[in-house]
Amino acid sequence: MPPIAPIITLLFLPALIGIGRQVIWGNAWSYKLLALGLVLLCIEQTYMAIVDLQQISEVKQQVQDEQLRRFFWVTVSTIALELTGFYLAMRSLGWGAVLVLVSLVWFNALATIKLQPSNPEPIQQRKFLERLPVLIADVVGLMLVALWIAKIGPLWAASILLGMLLHYGLLKYALPILNRQSVEVQ
């Protein structure tokens, strides 16, 4: 199997660069903030696509399970939707953002398992209630982008969406690092 990370990175990179250019050369602040949010989301979704595909590959070597096959197709279809959305965002920022957020709703609604290759039971169930907070955040993001497209408080909509993405990044990446460092100090 070819290395996943370079392939996925090369698929997302042109869109990341194209949207990144809009952060710099965008006209209005609401435009720049939405573009910045999409840049951050593109980086996160590139990383998650790599992680998901690598975990699928690892778990597939351990077990053969219909759930894994379904999760693979949900993951691949999500990546295809995300890529389409990110590339569309280079031409139409708002509608590209809508498609990216729809892809996140799609994944979080249909991905009923999570993979933990190092666990003796590498396929874990994800109950609907576990997925509900993320689905709510995805739908709120969609509503904010809809407001941005409709030009109803676009600066506020883009600012709140960017704030949500930054908050998510802090919770997912910064807090675990800080918690690990505080344990090492004690």
Side-chain angles (χ1 to χ4, degrees):
M1 178 177 206
I4 295 169
I7 294 168
I8 295 297
T9 302
L10 287 174
L11 288 172
F12 279 88
L13 188 61
L16 176 66
I17 293 168
I19 298 167
R21 292 178 62 193
Q22 296 181 50
V23 174
I24 298 166
W25 290 297
N27 294 331
W29 275 103
S30 65
Y31 194 87
K32 290 180 180 206
L33 292 176
L34 183 59
L36 179 58
L38 279 177
V39 163
L40 296 174
L41 194 55
C42 189
I43 293 167
E44 163 66 6
Q45 293 312 304
T46 302
Y47 174 72
M48 288 313 303
I50 293 166
V51 168
D52 286 342
L53 291 173
Q54 285 176 337
Q55 287 182 342
I56 289 168
S57 178
E58 291 174 39
V59 172
K60 189 176 181 181
Q61 294 173 5
Q62 299 172 32
V63 295
Q64 294 296 323
D65 191 308
E66 181 60 29
Q67 293 179 95
L68 186 60
R69 192 175 73 75
R70 183 173 184 272
F71 183 73
F72 172 76
W73 287 110
V74 168
T75 302
V76 169
S77 61
T78 300
I79 293 168
L81 282 170
E82 286 171 347
L83 284 168
T84 304
F86 286 124
Y87 280 95
L88 177 59
M90 291 174 18
R91 294 282 174 225
S92 175
L93 194 63
W95 289 108
V98 166
L99 190 53
V100 169
L101 289 165
V102 165
S103 76
L104 296 178
V105 170
W106 168 266
F107 180 82
N108 289 307
L110 298 178
T112 58
I113 63 171
K114 59 185 169 187
L115 302 179
Q116 297 176 335
S118 59
N119 192 314
E121 291 186 33
I123 299 175
Q124 304 288 316
Q125 297 301 313
R126 282 181 68 212
K127 294 182 176 34
F128 180 75
L129 288 178
E130 291 177 51
R131 297 176 286 155
L132 187 59
V134 177
L135 282 165
I136 291 170
D138 294 340
V139 171
V140 168
L142 268 171
M143 292 188 313
L144 290 168
V145 172
L147 289 172
W148 187 89
I149 290 171
K151 296 182 179 17
I152 299 172
L155 184 59
W156 285 103
S159 298
I160 293 168
L161 185 60
L162 179 59
M164 286 174 60
L165 290 166
L166 292 171
H167 183 74
Y168 169 79
L170 286 172
L171 289 174
K172 186 170 182 178
Y173 298 107
L175 283 181
I177 292 169
L178 293 174
N179 286 339
R180 197 171 30 234
Q181 288 176 348
S182 69
V183 170
E184 291 172 2
V185 171
Q186 297 173 354

